[in-house]
Amino acid sequence: MDIVVKGRKTEVPERFRKHVAEKLNLEKIQKLDGKVMSLDVEVSKEPNPRQADRCDRVEITLRSRGPVIRAEAAASDPYAALDLAAEKLDARLRKQHDKRVVRRGSRRISAAEVPDVVPGVATLDGNGVPVHDEETEGVPTKRIGSLEIKGEGPLVVREKTHVAAPMSLDQALYEMELVGHDFYLFVDSETKEPSVVYRRHAYDYGVIHLSTDPMVAGTEPPAAGGTLGG
């Protein structure tokens, strides 16, 4: 396996490529994850002078037979950014490795068991009344992506669509920790409905399940979705 180093709107000097090969020890990485298939490093530069202390960004993407692991960091120079990103990658690799070792000696919990294991689990409030947009005369309407915006409305700066295989709730928590985000959207393998896990306080997590309301099925969708609990 080789390390692929590329620049996005910037040149990558040979000296930096050599430093990447020295910093990302492939032998050490393969000990933590023996199924690694590729390791990509992307370097980019922010031209805004107001962000001089974070002008260089390094993103490391590790692909294996398991979940994709990403680590990124920004600093005043690419070498410092690489050091920070490498530390994050190492921490996430170790977390994945340790969890894999623990799972060999214990069974995985189902989504139905999560409320007994994860404290502070939140569910969608089924007693809420759907709120529909009121028709307002004289207010200009425009479309941004798939949204119809009335008046000044929210500004949508990016829209993404992902294809995801259904997974259990504990796997979604695991995936969220790997990518280092505070929330993770997934399709529940038991209900086949979209759900979101999110970080609450310290090591507490919450979960939101979405299900179709039979009272409004086949009508216009409500304007407001579920809210995070607690």
Side-chain angles (χ1 to χ4, degrees), residues 150-171:
K150 291 183 180 297
E152 294 302 320
L155 176 62
V156 178
V157 295
R158 183 167 60 179
E159 182 178 7
K160 287 187 176 181
T161 300
H162 295 278
V163 177
M167 65 178 65
S168 62
L169 184 52
D170 66 315
Q171 179 64 24

Side-chain angles (χ1 to χ4, degrees), residues 124-200:
L124 190 65
D125 185 1
N127 298 322
V129 177
V131 178
H132 297 276
D133 289 332
E134 296 182 358
E135 295 296 329
T136 305
E137 296 182 359
V139 177
T141 302
K142 60 183 176 181
R143 294 196 67 84
I144 301 178
S146 59
L147 297 179
E148 184 176 277
I149 307 298
K150 291 183 180 297
E152 294 302 320
L155 176 62
V156 178
V157 295
R158 183 167 60 179
E159 182 178 7
K160 287 187 176 181
T161 300
H162 295 278
V163 177
M167 65 178 65
S168 62
L169 184 52
D170 66 315
Q171 179 64 24
L173 289 168
Y174 177 51
E175 298 281 355
M176 182 182 73
E177 290 293 341
L178 284 183
V179 297
H181 290 172
D182 291 328
F183 70 93
Y184 192 83
L185 175 64
F186 69 104
V187 177
D188 194 298
S189 58
E190 291 191 3
T191 65
K192 301 300 185 294
E193 298 285 355
S195 302
V196 174
V197 291
Y198 62 95
R199 192 186 312 280
R200 299 181 73 245

Side-chain angles (χ1 to χ4, degrees), residues 18-118:
K18 292 180 179 179
H19 182 70
V20 169
E22 295 173 356
K23 187 69 179 179
L24 301 179
N25 189 316
L26 289 179
E27 183 178 350
K28 178 181 177 181
I29 290 175
Q30 289 175 328
K31 284 183 179 180
L32 294 173
D33 189 343
K35 299 179 180 179
V36 176
M37 296 184 294
S38 67
L39 186 61
D40 299 332
V41 178
E42 183 178 88
V43 184
S44 59
K45 195 170 186 68
E46 171 58 56
N48 189 344
R50 295 183 179 180
Q51 298 185 10
D53 58 334
R54 297 173 58 84
C55 61
D56 288 285
R57 178 174 295 276
V58 172
E59 179 177 339
I60 305 173
T61 303
L62 184 149
R63 293 180 174 84
S64 68
R65 295 180 185 176
V68 175
I69 301 178
R70 289 189 176 86
E72 60 180 311
S76 57
D77 65 80
Y79 294 91
L82 175 65
D83 290 346
L84 293 173
E87 289 177 5
K88 292 181 180 179
L89 179 70
D90 183 69
R92 289 168 188 172
L93 271 173
R94 290 184 182 278
K95 182 180 292 186
Q96 180 195 38
H97 177 267
D98 293 344
K99 195 154 189 174
R100 187 164 54 241
V101 171
V102 170
R103 285 184 175 183
R104 289 172 183 167
S106 61
R107 69 181 185 87
R108 298 178 64 177
I109 63 174
S110 66
E113 296 174 296
V114 169
D116 298 327
V117 178
V118 182

